[in-house]
Amino acid sequence: MISYGSQLVFDLEDISSVAVVRRAGAILARELKFNETRAGQLALVITEAATNILKHANHGQILLRALVQGEHAGVEVLVIDNGSGIANFDWHAEDGNSTAGSYGIGLGALRRLSQHFDIYTYTDKGTVIWMVLWAGNETPKPAHWQLGAVCVPIKGEEVSGDNWAMAAHEKKLTLIVADGLGHGPEAAKAADAAIALAGDIVSPGVVKGAPAIVQSPSVILQRAHQALQGTRGAALAVGQINSELGTLTFAGVGNISVCILYREGSRHLVSHNGIVGSNLRKLQEFSESWERDALLVAHSDGINTRWNLGLYPGLVHCHPALIAAVIYRDFTRGRDDATVVVVREQ
């Protein structure tokens, strides 16, 4: 299984922006071969979510991302606002219950029509909703790994100079996060060249029937250094979790921040200075322990490093997409592309 990709970002400031994001959803639905019923459900989910933001928080964002998992295609919808929060979500999610006309009906529809749904809301902490709608009647089998990501360009750019990829093989997961120097199309070329390596980091064993070979973080970085020759270069971090051994192996160059959050305490991983593709001064792997209930958070320097999940009661137990969205919402610097990736085991 390989996952990757950036989102389409839509700022919601007035009623006209609802139609803009709905049209974008319709385009994604056509590209992913949604049938008429599923496409209509996606349109309704987007419309309700966008309308609720304008009614209850005045402004916010919706992020859309195409998902492909094996033969399954879907659309991920992230709804983000910084309003006053919902005091009693279960009550509001029952049809007919509302504090401003139609909020209850909207939330109920969102939960019913989505194949995957999670929400984080807290008084004065805003609301973030994660939803996935799949094109077909069947949904993919649950994966061993839960992943959430936000990857968006700086305002004014159409493409992100950041990118990320996750490759999972059995109980091993490899996460790559890249930040091309600067921003815009040239930065995107560098980041994309690094992320393209995720497609072949797992190869069959030399002997028939032998375990597959998964390239180590240092090997991936060395390959990226060659692949990025002639580009601007990039900061790059590679983390590899082996849940059977309870280890996380890491190698990084540049300013990608990576942190493991344990039940008790946290551990920040060390990257060396340099530029992959241009000036790779030092390459070194580090190994840390990995616990089944740990959380891995990686982000580019478009995100302030002073985020603290302790400020958000209960957030750590939510789907990683909600954690990534809250960190993005509250700690984006605003002067560069921004990427946050959060991983945990199911």
Side-chain angles (χ1 to χ4, degrees):
M1 177 181 68
I2 297 175
S3 304
Y4 61 91
S6 58
Q7 279 112 330
L8 300 172
V9 185
F10 300 91
D11 293 314
L12 295 166
E13 301 289 348
D14 54 50
I15 196 65
S16 66
S17 55
V18 177
V20 173
V21 65
R22 185 171 58 236
R23 283 195 296 271
I27 292 171
L28 278 177
R30 284 197 300 271
E31 292 176 346
L32 297 170
K33 295 181 171 49
F34 276 47
N35 61 34
E36 186 175 345
T37 300
R38 277 283 192 262
Q41 291 172 342
L42 177 62
L44 179 57
V45 162
I46 290 173
T47 301
E48 291 287 355
T51 302
N52 282 341
I53 284 178
L54 294 176
K55 284 182 179 179
H56 300 277
N58 297 321
H59 59 83
Q61 288 186 326
I62 288 184
L63 278 56
L64 301 179
R65 181 161 66 98
L67 299 177
V68 177
Q69 187 171 330
E71 298 178 352
H72 302 277
V75 174
E76 177 189 68
V77 184
L78 268 177
V79 185
I80 302 171
D81 76 54
N82 204 10
S84 58
I86 305 170
N88 186 338
F89 169 74
D90 288 332
W91 183 86
H92 284 287
E94 294 178 8
D95 290 350
N97 292 336
S98 175
T99 57
S102 66
Y103 211 170
I105 295 174
L107 285 174
L110 298 185
R111 185 158 63 176
R112 287 195 308 273
L113 296 175
S114 305
Q115 280 76 57
H116 301 294
F117 179 96
D118 201 2
I119 182 171
Y120 179 77
T121 184
Y122 199 82
T123 304
D124 296 327
K125 299 291 185 182
T127 300
V128 181
I129 303 173
W130 169 73
M131 295 170 285
V132 176
L133 284 81
W134 295 100
N137 293 324
E138 295 183 1
T139 61
K141 294 180 180 179
H144 182 78
W145 304 96
Q146 270 192 343
L147 180 141
V150 172
C151 180
V152 300
I154 186 175
K155 197 163 187 176
E157 293 284 359
E158 294 187 359
V159 296
S160 175
D162 293 352
N163 208 338
W164 65 273
M166 181 194 83
H169 178 72
E170 297 176 349
K171 292 189 177 181
K172 270 191 178 181
L173 175 141
T174 302
L175 174 67
I176 306 174
V177 180
D179 179 357
L181 264 62
H183 48 79
E186 293 302 315
K189 286 180 182 178
D192 293 351
I195 294 309
L197 299 175
D200 63 353
I201 65 173
V202 180
S203 57
V206 177
V207 179
K208 187 176 181 179
I213 299 171
V214 181
Q215 294 171 1
S216 68
S218 59
V219 169
I220 296 169
L221 271 172
Q222 288 169 343
R223 292 181 60 214
H225 186 56
Q226 295 300 316
L228 269 63
Q229 299 291 324
T231 72
R232 286 185 178 181
L236 192 64
V238 183
Q240 194 167 84
I241 302 170
N242 187 324
S243 65
E244 289 184 331
L245 298 179
T247 60
L248 186 150
T249 308
F250 174 79
V253 174
N255 50 9
I256 304 291
S257 297
V258 180
C259 178
I260 312 173
L261 284 84
Y262 301 103
R263 183 176 297 179
E264 300 292 338
S266 61
R267 177 72 171 169
H268 290 269
L269 307 183
V270 178
S271 291
H272 288 292
N273 293 328
I275 303 171
V276 177
S278 174
N279 184 16
L280 190 61
R281 299 176 183 177
K282 187 176 182 180
L283 185 57
Q284 185 177 5
E285 280 189 359
F286 300 91
S287 184
E288 298 289 342
S289 63
W290 174 259
E291 298 173 3
R292 185 63 188 264
D293 58 356
L295 199 67
L296 177 66
V297 180
H299 61 82
S300 66
D301 67 345
I303 302 294
N304 193 310
T305 58
R306 295 187 178 182
W307 54 268
N308 178 5
L309 298 188
L311 299 173
Y312 306 90
L315 177 60
V316 71
H317 302 297
C318 293
H319 190 278
L322 297 182
I323 298 172
V326 169
I327 292 174
Y328 156 73
R329 182 193 67 189
D330 293 350
F331 296 94
T332 299
R333 296 182 190 274
R335 56 178 185 267
D336 201 353
D337 308 309
T339 294
V340 189
V341 184
V342 181
V343 177
R344 70 149 55 95
E345 288 189 74
Q346 293 256 46

PDB file of all heavy atoms in Angstrom, residues 135-148:
ATOM      1  N   ALA A 135     -16.011   5.528  -3.885  1.00  0.00           N
ATOM      2  CA  ALA A 135     -16.785   5.529  -5.130  1.00  0.00           C
ATOM      3  C   ALA A 135     -17.760   4.362  -5.202  1.00  0.00           C
ATOM      4  O   ALA A 135     -18.885   4.511  -5.675  1.00  0.00           O
ATOM      5  CB  ALA A 135     -15.840   5.504  -6.335  1.00  0.00           C
ATOM      6  N   GLY A 136     -17.347   3.193  -4.756  1.00  0.00           N
ATOM      7  CA  GLY A 136     -18.184   2.003  -4.870  1.00  0.00           C
ATOM      8  C   GLY A 136     -18.954   1.694  -3.606  1.00  0.00           C
ATOM      9  O   GLY A 136     -18.841   2.398  -2.590  1.00  0.00           O
ATOM     10  N   ASN A 137     -19.724   0.622  -3.659  1.00  0.00           N
ATOM     11  CA  ASN A 137     -20.511   0.212  -2.502  1.00  0.00           C
ATOM     12  C   ASN A 137     -19.654  -0.461  -1.435  1.00  0.00           C
ATOM     13  O   ASN A 137     -20.029  -0.506  -0.270  1.00  0.00           O
ATOM     14  CB  ASN A 137     -21.627  -0.739  -2.937  1.00  0.00           C
ATOM     15  CG  ASN A 137     -22.661  -0.045  -3.809  1.00  0.00           C
ATOM     16  OD1 ASN A 137     -22.966   1.125  -3.596  1.00  0.00           O
ATOM     17  ND2 ASN A 137     -23.198  -0.759  -4.790  1.00  0.00           N
ATOM     18  N   GLU A 138     -18.508  -1.003  -1.841  1.00  0.00           N
ATOM     19  CA  GLU A 138     -17.606  -1.649  -0.895  1.00  0.00           C
ATOM     20  C   GLU A 138     -16.496  -0.688  -0.487  1.00  0.00           C
ATOM     21  O   GLU A 138     -16.035   0.120  -1.290  1.00  0.00           O
ATOM     22  CB  GLU A 138     -16.999  -2.911  -1.513  1.00  0.00           C
ATOM     23  CG  GLU A 138     -18.017  -4.000  -1.818  1.00  0.00           C
ATOM     24  CD  GLU A 138     -17.356  -5.257  -2.351  1.00  0.00           C
ATOM     25  OE1 GLU A 138     -16.119  -5.270  -2.460  1.00  0.00           O
ATOM     26  OE2 GLU A 138     -18.082  -6.219  -2.659  1.00  0.00           O
ATOM     27  N   THR A 139     -16.087  -0.800   0.758  1.00  0.00           N
ATOM     28  CA  THR A 139     -14.971   0.015   1.245  1.00  0.00           C
ATOM     29  C   THR A 139     -13.739  -0.867   1.418  1.00  0.00           C
ATOM     30  O   THR A 139     -13.854  -2.080   1.609  1.00  0.00           O
ATOM     31  CB  THR A 139     -15.323   0.672   2.590  1.00  0.00           C
ATOM     32  OG1 THR A 139     -15.587  -0.357   3.546  1.00  0.00           O
ATOM     33  CG2 THR A 139     -16.543   1.564   2.458  1.00  0.00           C
ATOM     34  N   PRO A 140     -12.535  -0.285   1.348  1.00  0.00           N
ATOM     35  CA  PRO A 140     -11.323  -1.083   1.518  1.00  0.00           C
ATOM     36  C   PRO A 140     -11.276  -1.726   2.903  1.00  0.00           C
ATOM     37  O   PRO A 140     -11.857  -1.223   3.865  1.00  0.00           O
ATOM     38  CB  PRO A 140     -10.201  -0.058   1.353  1.00  0.00           C
ATOM     39  CG  PRO A 140     -10.812   1.104   0.662  1.00  0.00           C
ATOM     40  CD  PRO A 140     -12.238   1.128   1.078  1.00  0.00           C
ATOM     41  N   LYS A 141     -10.581  -2.844   2.989  1.00  0.00           N
ATOM     42  CA  LYS A 141     -10.378  -3.477   4.287  1.00  0.00           C
ATOM     43  C   LYS A 141      -9.558  -2.551   5.178  1.00  0.00           C
ATOM     44  O   LYS A 141      -8.677  -1.842   4.701  1.00  0.00           O
ATOM     45  CB  LYS A 141      -9.645  -4.813   4.112  1.00  0.00           C
ATOM     46  CG  LYS A 141     -10.457  -5.866   3.371  1.00  0.00           C
ATOM     47  CD  LYS A 141      -9.658  -7.155   3.231  1.00  0.00           C
ATOM     48  CE  LYS A 141     -10.459  -8.212   2.480  1.00  0.00           C
ATOM     49  NZ  LYS A 141      -9.686  -9.466   2.309  1.00  0.00           N
ATOM     50  N   PRO A 142      -9.817  -2.555   6.474  1.00  0.00           N
ATOM     51  CA  PRO A 142      -9.049  -1.693   7.381  1.00  0.00           C
ATOM     52  C   PRO A 142      -7.551  -1.989   7.286  1.00  0.00           C
ATOM     53  O   PRO A 142      -7.138  -3.148   7.277  1.00  0.00           O
ATOM     54  CB  PRO A 142      -9.604  -2.055   8.759  1.00  0.00           C
ATOM     55  CG  PRO A 142     -10.961  -2.609   8.489  1.00  0.00           C
ATOM     56  CD  PRO A 142     -10.858  -3.318   7.173  1.00  0.00           C
ATOM     57  N   ALA A 143      -6.753  -0.953   7.199  1.00  0.00           N
ATOM     58  CA  ALA A 143      -5.304  -1.105   7.109  1.00  0.00           C
ATOM     59  C   ALA A 143      -4.705  -1.227   8.509  1.00  0.00           C
ATOM     60  O   ALA A 143      -5.340  -0.879   9.514  1.00  0.00           O
ATOM     61  CB  ALA A 143      -4.695   0.079   6.372  1.00  0.00           C
ATOM     62  N   HIS A 144      -3.479  -1.743   8.568  1.00  0.00           N
ATOM     63  CA  HIS A 144      -2.789  -1.851   9.857  1.00  0.00           C
ATOM     64  C   HIS A 144      -2.421  -0.473  10.398  1.00  0.00           C
ATOM     65  O   HIS A 144      -2.306  -0.288  11.607  1.00  0.00           O
ATOM     66  CB  HIS A 144      -1.522  -2.696   9.695  1.00  0.00           C
ATOM     67  CG  HIS A 144      -0.766  -2.914  10.964  1.00  0.00           C
ATOM     68  ND1 HIS A 144      -1.159  -3.827  11.920  1.00  0.00           N
ATOM     69  CD2 HIS A 144       0.351  -2.314  11.468  1.00  0.00           C
ATOM     70  CE1 HIS A 144      -0.323  -3.796  12.934  1.00  0.00           C
ATOM     71  NE2 HIS A 144       0.598  -2.885  12.689  1.00  0.00           N
ATOM     72  N   TRP A 145      -2.256   0.491   9.485  1.00  0.00           N
ATOM     73  CA  TRP A 145      -1.790   1.824   9.861  1.00  0.00           C
ATOM     74  C   TRP A 145      -2.889   2.853   9.617  1.00  0.00           C
ATOM     75  O   TRP A 145      -3.546   2.833   8.598  1.00  0.00           O
ATOM     76  CB  TRP A 145      -0.549   2.212   9.067  1.00  0.00           C
ATOM     77  CG  TRP A 145       0.562   1.213   9.205  1.00  0.00           C
ATOM     78  CD1 TRP A 145       0.855   0.183   8.358  1.00  0.00           C
ATOM     79  CD2 TRP A 145       1.514   1.144  10.264  1.00  0.00           C
ATOM     80  NE1 TRP A 145       1.931  -0.521   8.826  1.00  0.00           N
ATOM     81  CE2 TRP A 145       2.366   0.035   9.997  1.00  0.00           C
ATOM     82  CE3 TRP A 145       1.741   1.899  11.416  1.00  0.00           C
ATOM     83  CZ2 TRP A 145       3.419  -0.323  10.829  1.00  0.00           C
ATOM     84  CZ3 TRP A 145       2.787   1.544  12.253  1.00  0.00           C
ATOM     85  CH2 TRP A 145       3.618   0.449  11.959  1.00  0.00           C
ATOM     86  N   GLN A 146      -3.045   3.754  10.556  1.00  0.00           N
ATOM     87  CA  GLN A 146      -3.900   4.924  10.376  1.00  0.00           C
ATOM     88  C   GLN A 146      -3.017   6.106  10.038  1.00  0.00           C
ATOM     89  O   GLN A 146      -1.979   6.321  10.679  1.00  0.00           O
ATOM     90  CB  GLN A 146      -4.658   5.250  11.663  1.00  0.00           C
ATOM     91  CG  GLN A 146      -5.995   4.576  11.800  1.00  0.00           C
ATOM     92  CD  GLN A 146      -6.791   5.185  12.943  1.00  0.00           C
ATOM     93  OE1 GLN A 146      -6.265   5.867  13.814  1.00  0.00           O
ATOM     94  NE2 GLN A 146      -8.085   4.922  12.962  1.00  0.00           N
ATOM     95  N   LEU A 147      -3.428   6.874   9.050  1.00  0.00           N
ATOM     96  CA  LEU A 147      -2.615   8.013   8.616  1.00  0.00           C
ATOM     97  C   LEU A 147      -3.498   9.217   8.350  1.00  0.00           C
ATOM     98  O   LEU A 147      -4.588   9.106   7.803  1.00  0.00           O
ATOM     99  CB  LEU A 147      -1.845   7.645   7.349  1.00  0.00           C
ATOM    100  CG  LEU A 147      -0.942   8.743   6.778  1.00  0.00           C
ATOM    101  CD1 LEU A 147       0.364   8.153   6.269  1.00  0.00           C
ATOM    102  CD2 LEU A 147      -1.651   9.459   5.626  1.00  0.00           C
ATOM    103  N   GLY A 148      -3.006  10.373   8.744  1.00  0.00           N
ATOM    104  CA  GLY A 148      -3.658  11.637   8.422  1.00  0.00           C
ATOM    105  C   GLY A 148      -2.624  12.617   7.920  1.00  0.00           C
ATOM    106  O   GLY A 148      -1.483  12.615   8.393  1.00  0.00           O
TER     107      GLY A 148
END
